[in-house]
Each structure stands twice: as structure tokens, then as C-alpha cells.
Amino acid sequence: MSAADYLTLFAMISIWSLMAINVFLSIGGFIYMYRMGKTDGRIPLKEYPFVSVMVPAHNESTVIARTVRALLNFDYPVDKYEVIIINDNSSDNTHQMLEEVQKEMPDRQLIVVSTDNIIGGKGKSNALNIGLSVAKGQILAVYDADNTPEPQALSILVENLVSDASLGAVIGKFRTRNRNASLLTRFVNIETLAYQCMNQAGRWFFFKLCTIPGTNFVIHRHIMESIGGWDPNALSEDTEVSFRIYRMGYHIRMIPNAVTWEQEPFRLGIWFKQRTRWAVGNLYVLSSNVKYVFDKKAGAMRMDVLYYCLIYAMMLSALVCSDAIFVLGVLGFSHVSLGGLSTLIWVLASLLFVLNVMITLAGEKNEFSATSAFLTLLMLFTYSKLWVFVVLRALYVTVRQTVTKRQETWYKTERSTD
Amino acid sequence: MSRRARALALCLCVCFLGVASPAEAETVEMLVVYEQGGDEGIRAQLASLRDMLLYMTKNVRYLRAEEVTQEDVEAASFVLVLMDESSRLGPAALAALETTENPVMVVGPGAISQLADTDLIDDGSVRVSYDFSPETSFDKLIRTNRMHVLSYCDSQMGGRIETRSGSFPLCAIQGNIAHFAVFDGDDPSLQAALATELTRWMWPYENDPHAYAGYVVLNEVYPFDDVEHLMEITDMLEKEGVPYAVTVMPVYDNAHFPSMKRFCEYLRYIQSRGATIILRTPLVQLDEVDGEELYQRILLSYEAYTQHGVYPLALQAPKSYAYLEQGISLLQSFRTVLLFESDDRIDVSLDAATAIYKDGHQLIAPYYGTLSASAFSTAIYLDSRDSAEHLQAQVRALRMGSVELRSLRSMEHSIYLGKHYVTYTPGEGLASDGQADNLQFTPFEYDEEFDYERGFIANMTEQIARSNQLILFLVIGATGVFLVCIWLARRLVRRQFLYRPSEKNRSNLPDIDGNDEVMP
């Protein structure tokens, strides 16, 4: 049995295992979304707690005004929340844009904290910690600077968080605002719906596990304080915080009724840098938390760490192996002698992938169409392959960081004008 | 020992066993004079004649008409001329053929008018009949252009031609010139008639030539064939009193598997009851394979059978093997060779067509239809995939015909392959490397817990093939569930599933109905 045979076998088992996990999560996710879809997600409170909505912003002049206006348009009682924009060492006219909005709505609690390159400019975690230091709210909400949340999003998140003491945080759903900007944003839109929202819903449904996505979530202030704020070394601060919340015994719940719309990278270069940052962050979090897989006291968190390990280790290696064997086979450098690999099975795998995505799109308005099905199939052979390069690049960066002991700077995703 | 040495050893063995040795090198039994570059019809006739003379194991020399000299003609015991009607013999050839006293046969219309007194028949088509025996004959219309018949004949041989001008013999003799008036290389009836007439013409005695035997061969039997079906056929053949042989396909790997032992047990059983086992050559395009590799394959396959007590006594090969060096070299290992028609389109030079003669094989030709060629031994192939009832009908029809069905075990056989030297003599039996061996049947003992040692790949391949089915069912199940979910979701979307009543208040939000989301 040659190395190509072993690798093919490994790739096949890995891909089908991950496919099975995804199908499983999608079915759970669908049931959860279906149930939540029958409600408006609201649990009215007698008294609403004070909320600090924090938005880290670094050179966000193109989008920040629209974001702030959306945040100030929440249907949450206006005297019960403040919006804190951490203008993190911006070199553009973000500050002026924010001043304009302040002038427009002088009676609203819009706080702008501007930092220089000594205190600020050290990444999202650092900016959030600065925001935390000035926040008054018992509950913290975090939004990215390119978000336009729906008016009821904050109320839904807060009501659900306050109503269940077992919850440490509640997250909402995010959608792609610039879906039709390019083929890439079409792919990102599908990926966001199918693999971030539906998988989160499935993980919550089966395991009471969710990972904070970095935006559109609320969290108890005391939890953030007890864990010492956001880890400034973590590029993927959301995953890192999630794991710490798990370890405290809290759950993180997803409420799909709370929706925010965000701008996704519409150019490949920007997308690649953004995803590399996420992957580097996730690898950091995984390496910090992998020890908990073997810790019985870690509870449900073990499942999540294992899930991420599977995604990164198994999927990456399986895709690299299968693609390499395919290319080398076409070039005549390798030959797989393992029989029984029916072409029909690979066709079925593609069908399952498409259906798995379509089940998510079917629950959304204006997403379920033949074009989407075609794009999903196209995505399988194009966009999904890019993920391999992202993770390989992230691995390289991680190794370089470890060897040189130099922290990678936070790549700020470039925005475009709406 | 080199291949050449092995071949020489076989030839010596053949001589010591008292087999008729080939003719002297200088002696030519037959000279075939032909016209190079003739039309398609002549080429087909020449190929047919070449095969016929191969099966008759004649020492033949082929010469183009313009190359023929007096010496060539005188050096041959018989001369056969095959040319198309428009071709003419050159002065040298004509002089040589006119002056020779050796028997000359002209086949077809070419050159006969130069060598004998003839009449031209230009009817377009004629009726030709021929009686092989009281039971077997043919009578058919043949399309001809400008046919020549002898104006008179000293003696008539077989067959008749009916024309509008009258009736003429198909084959007749005028002086020392014999003429076979109508020939078609693609017509098995005429081929059989010519072969019969050639044999008679060359027969040195007053009486008729002796009859050649037909050998019933159950063809292309594979180790994975249903042994019970094979047993049914061979039981039927025994019951019908028909001697038979079985051609087994070559086996190279896994000869120790129980299935191979079971197959060989069947072969040993029929072998003990008088059947002859024949080894088939691999199915390869001969001009594209290495001769030594082919030889090793045959050796491997031969040993795969002999290790289980099955002794192939002859080799079955495509006809093309007799004309190409790699094939001839391989055939040298077996004294008895059965040939069959194959689809391989290999160009054969006429010079190569005589090479195999020197090896002194017992060549057995494929059987031409229902008309017996009484000029050489033929193998009558039965398809092992046919039902026993169908084959029984076939065998009964054969028994009604004039071909005498014999057992290959009535002949001597010898094999010199690798380190194996095996002989078979009727009455004495089998001798392997000089030691007498027997072909008696003793049942095998089977290992109940046979370890196939199939290795990880084979096991995994089987596992994957099995899991393919499971995956297929699971995917179908998941697809069904997904389709139901999609249907439910669409129905609920239509009923405002995930539709938030407050959407109309989203003053600064993108329109989720779609197109406003597009970035400029």
C-alpha cells in the first residue's frame, strides 16, 4: 500500500466524517431556527438594564457614521444604553465623522474615546478593554464598525440574556450587507448563513454551545471583569472569550431573531488577509485550550475545542491530501491503487454539500434559488479551496510568530463605501 | 538455458520421439508463384492459401512471378500459381513453368490461359457444387468475372461448374497443369474445396488421402467459471461418447486460492477420464509485447496448473502467433499447438509464413464451418458458456457429419518449458522430467480457514466498496430529510418565517428584499 493510498483513505474518512458532522449540525440547527422563527425572539422585561454598546473603530470613516446611526436607532430605551466608539488610533477622519453624528444627536449618549498610538492601535482586544474601562453598563454589547444592526437586535439579545441566569452571553445572527457586490461576497454570504449561523444553531441545539462571533453579542460585564477583559494577545478574541465563558460554567446562546448586517470583503486580497487573521487567532486559541480536551472538568468546552481541532487539523489535512493526490495523479506522479472508490460517492458528497447549504438558504428571504444552488456547487470547487491556503498561511504566520517571538499586528479589514 | 537452446532441445526431442522431421532445408515441397500488388481479392486468396498451407504443414516457398527462375521451379515438388485474371507471367516464369515436368496447379483465372488451352466464360455468375463426402457438399452461385476453364482435360478432379455455356469441372488436369477454376479467399466452402483438392493433388498414391480428425474442444474455460455448469457439459460429452479437450485460460496470481484448487480438481477429474487440457496463450497484441515476458507468463501459468496436478499437453494460440517471431518462439515449447482465428490485425510477411514449419509442430487448425476440410486436423471449438442442451445438439450434428472426432490423447505430446520437460505417449502415459507420472484423480483436501493474505489494500477496498453502499443509503436518507426541511422552510418563509414585523422601521438598514444591498 503506497503513501498515496494511505493519504486517500485518510482524506476520504476525514471528509465524510466532517460531512456527517455538518449534516448532523444542520438538522439540529434547522430545528432550532424553525422553532425560533415561530417567535419574534422577544421576552419583555419589567425593567431594562443599562447597556454599553462598544464599537472598536480603526480608520472606519467610510462606514462609521452609518453604523452609529443604526446603533442609535435601537428600539432599546434610549436612557438605558450608551454607545461607546473606541476611535483606535485612526489616521483618517473617523473622529470628524463621529463628531458630526454627535452634533446631529446631542441628546444621545454617544461617547467617543480616541486613542493614540501609545495606548491604542494594538488590536481589537485592546480597544475593547479601553471601552470596558469607560463603560457604565452592567451589560456589554459589541458591534463591529461596519455593522448595521436591526432596531430590535439589542433588545432581543438583552432580554434573552437577562431572562436566563445560565447564560453568560447571547449572540445574534449576522448577514451580508453587500451580498451582490462581487462573486466573492456571494460566496461569503452563503458561507456566513450556512456555516456560521446554521452550525452555531446546531451546536446550541445539541450541545448548548455557541462561539461568540465578534459582533452582535451581549455579555454580562461581571463576566468580562472576572476573566480580566479581552486577551490582547488573541487575534481571534471572540473564540478566546467564548472558551473562557465555558470554563466559568455559563452557556452562550444564539438568538437568530437578532440580526445585524455587516459589510464583507469584496476583494480577494482583503478577504484573504481577514481570514488569515481569524485563522491565526483561532490557532492561538486552540493551542491555548487544547489541554482542556483531556480535562474532565472543562465540561462542554471539550466538545467545542475538539470541534475546532477537527475543523482545522482534519479538514485541512484531508483537503490538502485529496487535492495533492488529484493533481499529482493528473500529472502522472502518483497512482492510487485503492479500489472501491466509486465516483458516485463523490457526486453524492457534492450533492449533500449543496443540499446542506440549501437547507439554510431556504429559511431566508431572497436567498433560495437555482442561482444559489449553482453558486454553492461552484463554491465547493473554488471558494472552499481558498480556505486551505488561508489556513496554510495562518500556520506559517503562527510558526513565524513562535520562532521570532514577535506578535503579529492586527490587520484591519479595509472597508468600502456603501 | 537460452530460448534458442530450449528450442533446439525440443526439436531434438521431437526427432528422438520418432516424429517425422521437417523436409531438408534445400528441399521445397511447394513453390507458390503469386502476383505482387494484386487486387484486394488476390490478397485475400493469398492469405487464405497461406493459412491453408500452414495447417497442412507444407514446406512452402513464396516467390513473385517476376522472380521465378527455372531452378526455383525444378527445386519444388509442386508449383502453385495464384494471380489475378489481368496479370501475365513474364517470359522467364512462363518458360520455366511450360518446360517443367513437375505438377503445376493454377488457382483462379490468372495465367492459366498462358499455360494451357482454355475457354473464356464471361457469364457474370456461375453455379459451383462440390461433394466432400456423401453427407457433406455445397452447391452455390458464385459471382465471377472472366473465368477460364480448360478446353479439354486429361482427368477431372472434384467439383462442377454450371454455366450458360455448359458444365465444367471445378478442378481438372491438362498434362501436368491442374486448374482450380474458381476461388474466393473469403468463402469457407471454396477454401475447404481447394484444401481438399490440394491434398488429393499432392497425394502420391492411387487411393484417396486419409481422413483428418476433428478434435472437440470446450473453449476458454476460466477458473471463475461455474464448475457445476462445466461438469454438466463434460458429463454430457462423455455420455455422447465424444472425446474432448478443454482450453484453460492462463492464471498468474493466487494459484493457491481454494477456488483455483476447486477448479483444478475439476480439471484433474476430467483429465483422469481422458480429457486433454490445453493452455491458452495470454490475450495480448503480440507485436506490442516482449517475447521473453510472454514466455515467462506462459511458464508461470503452466506451473500454476501443474502444481495442482493438471498437465496441459498442448498450447492454444491465435493464428498470428505462427507468423511472428515472438509467437513462433513461444510455440516452440509445445509440440502440439491449436490455432484459432483472432481479431488482431497483424501484417504478416510471406517469408515469415514458412518459418514455423521447421519446428515440426502438430498444428491443429480452427474448424471451418460445417464443411470438413479433409486436408488437415481441425479443432472444433464449443463455447463453454452455452447451455449443455445447446452443446448437445451441436455435438450430435457433428457426429452426423463426416469428420471423425478423436481424442487428443491419441497423439503424442511434448512440452519443454522452463525447467519442465513433459511428454505424453498414448498407452504409456505422462512422463515428467523422465519420471512416469499419472493422471489419476485424487480429491484435494481444503483448508477450511484459508488465509487469503489479501493485504491491507484488498481488505480496505472491500470495506470501502461495502461502505459505499452504506454511504449511499445514508446520503439518500439525508437528502430526503433535507428536502423535507427545505419544503418546510419555504412554506414558513411564505408565512413570514423569520420575517420580523418591525422591519418596516429599519430606516437605515438594507432592504432585505434584495437588490438595494448591492454595493456601488
Side-chain angles (χ1 to χ4, degrees):
Chain A
M1 190 158 170
S2 66
D5 288 319
Y6 280 113
L7 293 177
T8 303
L9 195 62
F10 167 75
M12 200 188 70
I13 292 171
S14 302
I15 288 170
W16 276 103
S17 302
L18 289 166
M19 185 75 83
I21 292 172
N22 259 321
V23 168
F24 178 70
L25 290 179
S26 290
I27 291 171
F30 177 82
I31 295 169
Y32 179 67
M33 299 283 261
Y34 180 84
R35 283 180 187 165
M36 291 305 294
K38 285 184 170 176
T39 71
D40 59 2
R42 302 296 296 257
I43 309 170
L45 302 174
K46 284 182 184 169
E47 190 176 349
Y48 283 82
F50 193 85
V51 179
S52 295
V53 179
M54 302 193 296
V55 181
H58 174 69
N59 294 337
E60 301 283 6
S61 60
T62 53
V63 292
I64 195 68
R66 185 174 176 176
T67 302
V68 173
R69 286 189 186 102
L71 296 173
L72 293 174
N73 193 42
F74 280 136
D75 63 3
Y76 202 80
V78 291
D79 59 331
K80 292 287 186 181
Y81 80 101
E82 61 182 355
V83 175
I84 302 169
I85 311 294
I86 304 102
N87 179 24
D88 193 27
N89 189 33
S90 294
S91 54
D92 63 356
N93 61 342
T94 302
H95 187 75
Q96 285 81 358
M97 300 298 290
L98 290 167
E99 275 183 346
E100 279 178 27
V101 181
Q102 278 179 319
K103 283 173 191 167
E104 276 175 33
M105 298 182 226
D107 54 333
R108 299 301 300 273
Q109 300 185 61
L110 172 60
I111 300 158
V112 177
V113 180
S114 292
T115 66
D116 55 18
N117 61 356
I118 298 166
I119 298 171
K122 294 186 174 66
K124 189 177 174 183
S125 296
N126 184 60
L128 287 170
N129 284 333
I130 291 169
L132 178 62
S133 67
V134 297
K136 292 185 290 182
Q138 293 307 300
I139 290 173
L140 306 172
V142 177
Y143 283 93
D144 281 342
D146 61 336
N147 274 219
T148 41
E150 295 186 358
Q152 72 279 18
L154 185 64
S155 304
I156 294 172
L157 293 174
V158 173
E159 286 167 3
N160 280 277
L161 179 69
V162 172
S163 303
D164 187 346
S166 71
L167 297 178
V170 175
I171 65 172
K173 187 165 80 171
F174 57 96
R175 299 286 312 274
T176 305
R177 193 164 77 192
N178 55 339
R179 182 186 68 174
N180 295 334
S182 68
L183 184 63
L184 180 65
T185 55
R186 299 291 294 260
F187 288 154
V188 174
N189 176 52
I190 292 170
E191 181 210 6
T192 304
L193 286 170
Y195 287 93
Q196 299 197 30
C197 297
M198 198 54 117
N199 271 17
Q200 293 270 39
R203 284 163 60 227
W204 168 256
F205 180 76
F206 286 117
F207 310 112
K208 297 285 178 282
L209 286 172
C210 271
T211 311
I212 293 172
T215 184
N216 196 27
F217 71 91
V218 292
I219 186 169
H220 287 294
R221 181 194 182 107
H222 69 86
I223 291 179
M224 279 318 298
E225 285 176 342
S226 66
I227 61 176
W230 280 269
D231 179 355
N233 293 323
L235 288 180
S236 197
E237 74 296 330
D238 34 24
T239 315
E240 205 277 334
V241 168
S242 305
F243 284 178
R244 289 204 272 172
I245 292 174
Y246 295 153
R247 292 209 297 278
M248 291 176 76
Y250 288 106
H251 294 305
I252 301 168
R253 184 174 183 183
M254 184 203 183
I255 304 291
N257 311 63
V259 179
T260 187
W261 296 75
E262 67 177 15
Q263 192 186 75
E264 298 293 353
F266 64 98
R267 283 209 305 266
L268 196 60
I270 301 171
W271 176 89
F272 193 80
K273 285 178 186 169
Q274 183 200 53
R275 295 306 165 100
T276 304
R277 177 170 63 88
W278 291 3
V280 169
N282 282 333
L283 289 173
Y284 167 79
V285 175
L286 273 183
S287 61
S288 315
N289 292 279
V290 72
K291 60 189 176 204
Y292 293 106
V293 174
F294 310 102
D295 183 356
K296 287 180 184 173
K297 292 175 192 166
M301 177 195 163
R302 301 168 75 194
M303 178 78 77
D304 230 25
V305 176
L306 195 63
Y307 174 75
Y308 276 96
C309 285
L310 278 177
I311 295 285
Y312 277 92
M314 211 167 167
M315 194 172 194
L316 173 71
S317 49
L319 289 178
V320 167
C321 289
S322 64
D323 291 350
I325 289 165
F326 175 74
V327 172
L328 291 174
V330 168
L331 297 175
F333 293 120
S334 79
H335 171 69
V336 177
S337 48
L338 202 62
L341 299 168
S342 162
T343 309
L344 176 69
I345 292 300
W346 295 113
V347 173
L348 289 175
S350 306
L351 171 75
L352 210 56
F353 176 83
V354 173
L355 281 173
N356 195 14
V357 172
M358 293 309 285
I359 192 179
T360 313
L361 302 186
E364 302 290 341
K365 291 182 76 177
N366 302 311
E367 296 288 355
F368 185 76
S369 64
T371 310
S372 297
F374 171 74
L375 283 172
T376 307
L377 192 62
L378 186 64
M379 193 175 154
L380 177 63
F381 300 105
T382 52
Y383 184 77
S384 304
K385 303 290 174 199
L386 292 176
W387 183 84
V388 173
F389 294 103
V390 166
V391 181
L392 288 176
R393 166 84 183 154
L395 276 172
Y396 165 72
V397 170
T398 304
V399 170
R400 195 177 62 187
Q401 274 185 178
T402 312
V403 172
T404 60
K405 312 257 186 231
R406 279 182 58 192
Q407 187 65 33
E408 203 71 19
T409 52
W410 172 30
Y411 167 73
K412 154 71 183 59
T413 307
E414 290 170 39
R415 311 289 184 204
S416 59
T417 321
D418 276 320
Chain B
M1 188 183 278
S2 73
R3 303 280 303 283
R4 261 178 218 289
R6 283 198 295 261
L8 181 63
L10 177 68
C11 290
L12 287 173
C13 294
V14 167
C15 293
F16 285 130
L17 286 167
V19 176
S21 63
E24 294 295 321
E26 293 80 14
T27 310
V28 177
E29 201 169 3
M30 177 172 285
L31 171 68
V32 175
V33 179
Y34 66 98
E35 182 60 39
Q36 179 79 346
D39 63 15
E40 198 64 40
I42 279 292
R43 279 200 289 277
Q45 288 176 29
L46 197 59
S48 169
L49 190 68
R50 179 198 67 201
D51 292 347
M52 213 177 281
L53 294 170
L54 168 77
Y55 301 146
M56 291 164 77
T57 55
K58 298 295 179 194
N59 183 9
V60 185
R61 186 178 181 200
Y62 292 87
L63 277 178
R64 286 183 289 170
E66 65 265 27
E67 295 173 339
V68 174
T69 63
Q70 186 78 42
E71 289 74 33
D72 295 327
V73 172
E74 295 306 330
S77 305
F78 298 90
V79 180
L80 198 143
V81 181
L82 179 69
M83 297 168 73
D84 60 30
E85 200 273 337
S86 57
S87 301
R88 310 284 294 171
L89 287 167
L94 183 60
L97 290 169
E98 277 178 337
T99 54
T100 186
E101 291 181 359
N102 289 341
V104 176
M105 178 181 274
V106 180
V107 175
I112 186 64
S113 60
Q114 291 179 277
L115 296 170
D117 294 332
T118 61
D119 294 325
L120 178 67
I121 309 287
D122 198 3
D123 284 3
S125 60
V126 296
R127 190 181 193 93
V128 178
S129 60
Y130 193 90
D131 296 330
F132 293 95
S133 68
E135 302 86 26
T136 320
S137 63
F138 74 81
D139 186 348
K140 64 200 314 187
L141 276 175
I142 305 282
R143 186 174 177 80
T144 61
N145 291 318
R146 294 173 63 80
M147 181 183 74
H148 290 269
V149 293
L150 296 176
S151 304
Y152 66 92
C153 58
D154 299 322
S155 63
Q156 292 189 13
M157 296 175 73
R160 297 297 303 171
I161 301 172
E162 305 292 338
T163 70
R164 283 198 289 271
S165 324
S167 175
F168 306 94
L170 174 64
C171 190
I173 296 175
Q174 190 183 92
N176 68 329
I177 306 290
H179 182 222
F180 191 87
V182 181
F183 183 52
D184 179 350
D186 295 323
D187 187 327
S189 310
L190 287 173
Q191 286 175 7
L194 176 60
T196 307
E197 290 307 314
L198 272 173
T199 309
R200 281 187 193 167
W201 177 59
M202 296 171 80
W203 188 246
Y205 310 109
E206 289 297 320
N207 61 341
D208 280 341
H210 63 78
Y212 285 83
Y215 300 95
V216 171
V217 179
L218 191 59
N219 205 21
E220 292 185 14
V221 173
Y222 288 83
F224 51 76
D225 279 346
D226 179 5
V227 170
E228 283 186 19
H229 174 65
L230 295 173
M231 188 69 95
E232 192 185 359
I233 295 171
T234 48
D235 281 351
M236 177 275 293
L237 290 170
E238 285 182 24
K239 200 173 159 190
E240 293 290 329
V242 175
Y244 63 93
V246 172
T247 55
V248 291
M249 301 307 285
V251 174
Y252 315 114
D253 303 313
N254 305 322
H256 60 296
F257 275 20
S259 53
M260 180 65 176
K261 281 177 84 173
R262 205 162 287 121
F263 176 62
C264 286
E265 190 161 43
Y266 159 74
L267 294 176
R268 286 166 62 242
Y269 172 74
I270 59 169
Q271 182 179 256
S272 72
R273 297 174 71 84
T276 310
I277 309 301
I278 300 160
L279 183 63
R280 167 77 172 264
T281 52
L283 302 171
V284 291
Q285 184 71 14
L286 193 58
D287 52 355
E288 291 176 6
V289 295
D290 173 54
E292 184 59 30
E293 188 188 344
L294 192 62
Y295 182 85
Q296 291 302 328
R297 286 270 162 183
I298 285 289
L299 174 60
L300 199 62
S301 184
Y302 183 78
E303 288 175 340
Y305 283 103
T306 53
Q307 68 173 295
H308 292 305
V310 175
Y311 289 93
L313 298 179
L315 187 71
Q316 187 196 37
K319 188 176 67 186
S320 54
Y321 274 52
Y323 297 125
L324 289 177
E325 193 187 338
Q326 302 99 305
I328 290 171
S329 171
L330 182 70
L331 299 186
Q332 281 168 350
S333 300
F334 288 80
R335 182 179 173 198
T336 308
V337 173
L338 285 81
L339 297 171
F340 63 93
E341 296 287 346
S342 59
D343 296 331
D344 47 8
R345 298 179 180 279
I346 294 174
D347 265 345
V348 177
S349 80
L350 288 169
D351 293 335
T354 58
I356 194 169
Y357 169 79
K358 298 179 181 71
D359 294 335
H361 288 288
Q362 295 174 145
L363 291 179
I364 298 174
Y367 183 65
Y368 284 104
T370 55
L371 297 167
S372 71
S374 54
F376 38 77
S377 304
T378 52
I380 303 159
Y381 293 119
L382 303 182
D383 189 342
S384 60
R385 274 144 206 87
D386 281 346
S387 69
E389 292 75 24
H390 177 81
L391 294 176
Q392 188 175 37
Q394 234 178 301
V395 164
R396 285 181 178 171
L398 277 171
R399 288 176 61 199
M400 298 291 285
S402 56
V403 180
E404 186 190 351
L405 302 179
R406 276 194 223 154
S407 167
L408 277 169
R409 296 273 283 270
S410 61
M411 298 162 67
E412 292 179 353
H413 306 281
S414 57
I415 299 104
Y416 197 93
L417 190 64
K419 60 182 184 343
H420 305 282
Y421 172 50
V422 177
T423 60
Y424 175 82
T425 311
E428 292 178 21
L430 191 78
S432 181
D433 297 323
Q435 300 292 313
D437 210 333
N438 75 69
L439 297 173
Q440 297 306 305
F441 173 72
T442 43
F444 281 131
E445 283 181 8
Y446 290 94
D447 184 1
E448 295 290 329
E449 298 290 325
F450 182 79
D451 178 11
Y452 282 90
E453 297 172 358
R454 300 169 65 188
F456 188 70
I457 281 211
N459 284 329
M460 197 45 72
T461 297
E462 192 181 328
Q463 292 288 332
I464 291 171
R466 276 189 201 159
S467 55
N468 278 349
Q469 263 189 329
L470 179 68
I471 289 173
L472 182 65
F473 284 120
L474 290 177
V475 170
I476 290 170
T479 303
V481 171
F482 279 3
L483 290 175
V484 169
C485 290
I486 287 170
W487 175 76
L488 276 174
R490 294 315 295 163
R491 198 181 66 157
L492 286 170
V493 163
R494 280 196 293 273
R495 295 179 185 178
Q496 305 291 307
F497 174 52
L498 298 182
Y499 185 84
R500 292 152 296 281
S502 56
E503 272 177 6
K504 59 179 181 278
N505 300 324
R506 298 177 305 122
S507 57
N508 58 346
L509 298 180
D511 174 10
I512 63 164
D513 286 341
N515 298 326
D516 291 355
E517 301 169 29
V518 183
M519 295 294 292

